[in-house]
Amino acid sequence: MFIVEESSALNDNTDFETNVSRAKDLIEKDDWGMAFKYLKAAVDADPNYAEGFNLLGIYYTRNHNYSEAIENFRQALHIDFDLIDVHYNLAFLYMEREEYSMALSHFKEVVVANPEDADTYNLMGICCAKNGNEEDAKAFFAESLRLQPDSTSAAVNISKLLIKNNEISKAKGILLYFMKKEIANYEVHYLLGIVYKGEEDYPRAMRHLREAVLEDTNNAEAYNLLGECCVKMDFDKQAESFFVMAIRLDTAYLDAYYNLGSLYYKQQKYDDAVHILEEYVRTKEATDFVDSLWSENKVGDEAVPLYNLLGNCYKVTNNPAKARKMWEKSLSIQPDQQDIKENVSGLSQTAQMHKRISLVID
């Protein structure tokens, strides 16, 4: 009897090792589909096989079955909490799901085990930034840069926060370091374009923004900024081309529509201004209607300048009814606009004046 039990145990152990070996061979060949059944057999044979649960978590992640992935990663950590690869895998999955606080807790375990892991500090910074904790984000990005001074990802991430908080000189210093080292990528050029534009050094800003769009041809924001620089330098024709390109790349990009409409208005091309601004309003209001079916969020005030500009265009092209409609929309969002109230009042007075004149003629 003893001999039979010992033989059975040996066979079970052999089956476990065989399944593990086959699974790993298939994973090396990137055949996760075939590896899955051997991984399942391995963890069934040994429920304490933590690495097997980790690999199953990766399998489920690759197949977008995130609930099963999380369950398997958690099971691996339940067996062995010190498996750093599992903490990293689980953190990255939470990050992909935009559950940044959960991701951060597991990334912390990674850097506790490996304090020199610059890439993980960078990811921790991203999680903090997404959660609105900008001070911790800057600290993590700074630590990532300290450990890996040539990390363009950490440099770009911290520079974005610095620019957002108007710490322009600090951002500029970081970005120029990468220019000096000749390791700047398109994001470094893009951010330097923003910095120089803020300093009103438009020729330098344009040089960097052009470099950015040469590498990132889908960067609508960079094209829009190029257009804004051209307007400041009185290069209206080039500005028009850049604004049009920005709109082609992002048909919901308010700033580009507003800038192009403003350019046409300045050039007294009122019909062109009306056409481009109406196009945006139609798209925006259709989108707002669909969004309102799913949430009760109110329309933000970002569209106010565009409504006001379109109202001005309608007034100049002798369409007071539409001008009133646009200005009233603007006032419904921002009621305390005295100049727009005066515009609406002026339309009413004009209408009353026209009515009195008509009665006299009659």
Side-chain angles (χ1 to χ4, degrees), residues 197-252:
K197 180 177 179 291
E199 294 179 345
E200 299 184 8
D201 188 345
Y202 302 115
R204 268 205 182 96
M206 288 189 68
R207 282 201 294 273
H208 286 287
L209 291 168
R210 284 181 185 277
E211 287 294 328
V213 298
L214 282 174
E215 291 188 54
D216 181 15
T217 56
N218 293 317
N219 192 332
E221 292 86 355
Y223 281 109
N224 182 59
L225 290 172
L226 278 165
E228 290 179 356
C229 290
C230 286
V231 168
K232 293 293 185 179
M233 298 171 71
D234 293 323
F235 299 157
D236 286 359
K237 191 66 178 176
Q238 295 92 322
E240 180 181 358
S241 299
F242 287 130
F243 292 143
V244 168
M245 179 60 74
I247 290 168
R248 284 178 183 169
L249 291 170
D250 184 353
T251 56

Side-chain angles (χ1 to χ4, degrees), residues 175-219:
L175 297 167
L176 288 177
Y177 166 83
F178 284 81
M179 291 298 299
K180 185 177 179 180
K181 296 274 287 185
E182 297 184 350
I183 51 176
N185 63 7
Y186 68 94
E187 289 180 296
V188 172
H189 283 292
Y190 172 63
L191 293 176
L192 273 172
I194 293 175
V195 167
Y196 283 122
K197 180 177 179 291
E199 294 179 345
E200 299 184 8
D201 188 345
Y202 302 115
R204 268 205 182 96
M206 288 189 68
R207 282 201 294 273
H208 286 287
L209 291 168
R210 284 181 185 277
E211 287 294 328
V213 298
L214 282 174
E215 291 188 54
D216 181 15
T217 56
N218 293 317
N219 192 332

Side-chain angles (χ1 to χ4, degrees), residues 72-113:
N72 279 273
F73 288 139
R74 284 178 173 172
Q75 182 61 29
L77 291 175
H78 178 73
I79 297 165
D80 185 353
F81 191 77
D82 293 331
L83 285 174
I84 300 307
D85 285 350
V86 184
H87 282 293
Y88 185 89
N89 291 338
L90 187 52
F92 206 85
L93 177 54
Y94 279 130
M95 193 175 176
E96 289 290 304
R97 288 163 58 89
E98 300 182 3
E99 298 177 49
Y100 300 111
S101 295
M102 293 294 290
L104 197 58
S105 66
H106 289 283
F107 280 136
K108 284 179 179 177
E109 295 296 334
V110 176
V111 296
V112 165

Side-chain angles (χ1 to χ4, degrees), residues 171-343:
K172 186 177 180 181
I174 292 170
L175 297 167
L176 288 177
Y177 166 83
F178 284 81
M179 291 298 299
K180 185 177 179 180
K181 296 274 287 185
E182 297 184 350
I183 51 176
N185 63 7
Y186 68 94
E187 289 180 296
V188 172
H189 283 292
Y190 172 63
L191 293 176
L192 273 172
I194 293 175
V195 167
Y196 283 122
K197 180 177 179 291
E199 294 179 345
E200 299 184 8
D201 188 345
Y202 302 115
R204 268 205 182 96
M206 288 189 68
R207 282 201 294 273
H208 286 287
L209 291 168
R210 284 181 185 277
E211 287 294 328
V213 298
L214 282 174
E215 291 188 54
D216 181 15
T217 56
N218 293 317
N219 192 332
E221 292 86 355
Y223 281 109
N224 182 59
L225 290 172
L226 278 165
E228 290 179 356
C229 290
C230 286
V231 168
K232 293 293 185 179
M233 298 171 71
D234 293 323
F235 299 157
D236 286 359
K237 191 66 178 176
Q238 295 92 322
E240 180 181 358
S241 299
F242 287 130
F243 292 143
V244 168
M245 179 60 74
I247 290 168
R248 284 178 183 169
L249 291 170
D250 184 353
T251 56
Y253 191 8
L254 184 148
D255 286 354
Y257 280 97
Y258 178 81
N259 285 333
L260 184 56
S262 295
L263 179 65
Y264 287 146
Y265 186 83
K266 184 185 82 170
Q267 296 172 331
Q268 299 183 0
K269 297 179 180 178
Y270 301 120
D271 289 337
D272 289 337
V274 166
H275 173 76
I276 198 69
L277 296 172
E278 280 184 340
E279 183 181 340
Y280 176 80
V281 169
R282 282 194 299 270
T283 303
K284 181 184 186 308
E285 293 184 347
T287 303
D288 287 347
F289 174 74
V290 173
D291 289 345
S292 71
L293 300 177
W294 301 101
S295 69
E296 296 181 358
N297 294 333
K298 294 183 179 179
V299 177
D301 60 3
E302 67 278 354
V304 166
L306 187 140
Y307 285 139
N308 291 341
L309 177 59
L310 187 50
N312 291 337
C313 292
Y314 284 137
K315 180 184 177 183
V316 172
T317 53
N318 298 315
N319 198 333
K322 285 189 174 181
R324 176 189 295 275
K325 184 178 179 181
M326 287 300 109
W327 286 333
E328 287 179 346
K329 282 186 178 183
S330 174
L331 289 170
S332 71
I333 302 169
Q334 283 187 4
D336 297 330
Q337 299 179 83
Q338 190 57 39
D339 56 336
I340 302 303
K341 287 180 181 179
E342 290 173 1
N343 287 348

Side-chain angles (χ1 to χ4, degrees), residues 17-42 49 55 58-59 62:
E17 291 177 353
T18 300
N19 286 322
V20 170
S21 177
R22 288 177 177 172
K24 288 185 174 180
D25 286 343
L26 289 164
I27 288 170
E28 283 185 8
K29 297 173 183 176
D30 203 32
D31 191 348
W32 285 84
M34 288 297 294
F36 173 74
K37 65 178 182 178
Y38 294 110
L39 289 172
K40 285 290 289 180
Y49 179 38
L55 293 171
I58 296 172
Y59 166 82
R62 290 166 63 96

